[in-house]
């Protein structure tokens, strides 16, 4: 079950959840502080927030956001400064992944770029659920042709989350905060 809504005005009561997650959301919002206020509001006292967001120096190394849908990414110092007014207790981990994940991600980006070449008029005529299914099939097909590894063959060993990876240039930050 899910609820669609505005991340800066969540449709839940105060302290509604023991655990709240926000994976790859923060960087997409212009009102990032609004998101954090809401996440803290719906989190019970003693509850845990788990949040992930790209590590800007790695994800966008030339200073230009590599994802056009991102509004603001953080480096480690900026993220700590941003979190401090909302949570007095938090730890930040780094998430990195194997070259197999990089291949799958690259295949996904390339297949998405190819689907964007389909004429806009045609894309507007096709219902969303059909487009989503076609995109999924195309992504798998393109990924198998281009790369031998598919997202279905990835395992937990292809991902690493630890405080050590922060020093090694993790692609993402993973924040674990307690209210």
């Amino acid at each position: 079950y899910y609820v669609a809504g505005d991340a800066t005005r969540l449709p839940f009561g105060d302290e509604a959840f023991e655990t709240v997650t926000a994976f790859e959301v923060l960087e997409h919002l212009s009102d990032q502080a609004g998101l954090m206020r809401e996440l803290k509001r719906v989190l019970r006292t003693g509850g845990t927030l788990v949040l992930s967001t790209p590590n800007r120096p790695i994800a966008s190394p030339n200073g230009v956001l590599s994802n056009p849908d991102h509004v603001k990414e953080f480096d480690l110092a900026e993220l700590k400064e941003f979190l401090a007014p909302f949570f007095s207790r938090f730890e930040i981990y780094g998430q990195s992944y194997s070259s197999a994940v990089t291949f799958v991600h690259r295949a996904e980006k390339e297949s998405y770029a190819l689907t964007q070449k389909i004429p806009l008029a045609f894309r507007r005529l096709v219902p969303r659920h059909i487009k989503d299914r076609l995109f999924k099939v195309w992504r798998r097909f393109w990924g198998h042709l281009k790369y031998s590894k598919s997202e279905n063959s990835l395992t937990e060993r292809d991902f690493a989350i630890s405080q050590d990876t922060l020093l090694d240039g993790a692609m993402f930050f993973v924040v674990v905060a307690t209210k």
Side-chain angles (χ1 to χ4, degrees):
Y1 140 62
Y2 68 92
V3 175
D6 183 339
T8 62
R9 285 183 261 138
L10 296 171
F12 306 108
D14 295 352
E15 298 198 358
F17 300 102
E18 183 69 31
T19 304
V20 175
T21 61
F23 300 126
E24 315 305 316
V25 174
L26 182 64
E27 64 277 5
H28 292 272
L29 301 178
S30 57
D31 185 6
Q32 294 175 324
L35 170 68
M36 296 308 294
R37 280 191 297 275
E38 280 297 279
L39 296 179
K40 184 176 181 180
R41 181 185 67 77
V42 301
L43 189 61
R44 289 184 188 146
T45 300
T48 304
L49 166 68
V50 182
L51 174 145
S52 66
T53 191
N55 178 359
R56 188 191 66 235
I58 303 301
S60 302
N62 63 0
V64 176
L65 297 177
S66 61
N67 185 327
D69 295 323
H70 289 184
V71 175
K72 179 180 176 17
E73 296 174 350
F74 296 88
D75 65 26
L76 183 58
E78 291 168 336
L79 184 59
K80 287 178 179 179
E81 184 179 332
F82 174 74
L83 293 168
F86 303 103
F87 294 93
S88 58
R89 295 180 294 164
F90 61 85
E91 294 181 327
I92 301 176
Y93 299 86
Q95 178 185 346
S96 56
Y97 43 78
S98 71
S99 59
V101 176
T102 303
F103 286 135
V104 169
H105 183 68
R106 187 176 300 139
E108 191 172 90
K109 284 176 89 172
E110 289 176 5
S111 65
Y112 177 78
L114 285 172
T115 62
Q116 294 308 298
K117 293 179 180 179
I118 297 170
L120 186 58
F122 178 74
R123 283 188 276 156
R124 286 184 178 154
L125 293 173
V126 178
R128 175 80 181 188
H129 71 281
I130 294 174
K131 284 191 286 192
D132 289 346
R133 182 70 181 140
L134 288 172
F135 176 67
K136 189 174 185 177
V137 169
W138 174 251
R139 188 178 66 191
R140 283 205 175 122
F141 174 73
W142 182 250
H144 284 299
L145 283 180
K146 190 99 172 155
Y147 307 103
S148 61
K149 195 103 170 151
S150 78
E151 61 193 27
N152 294 331
S153 64
L154 298 175
T155 69
E156 66 276 358
R157 290 185 304 264
D158 290 303
F159 302 88
I161 297 175
S162 75
Q163 288 184 316
D164 296 338
T165 59
L166 281 174
L167 302 174
D168 296 333
M171 180 63 85
F172 297 94
F173 296 122
V174 178
V175 175
V176 179
T178 305
K179 180 175 175 185

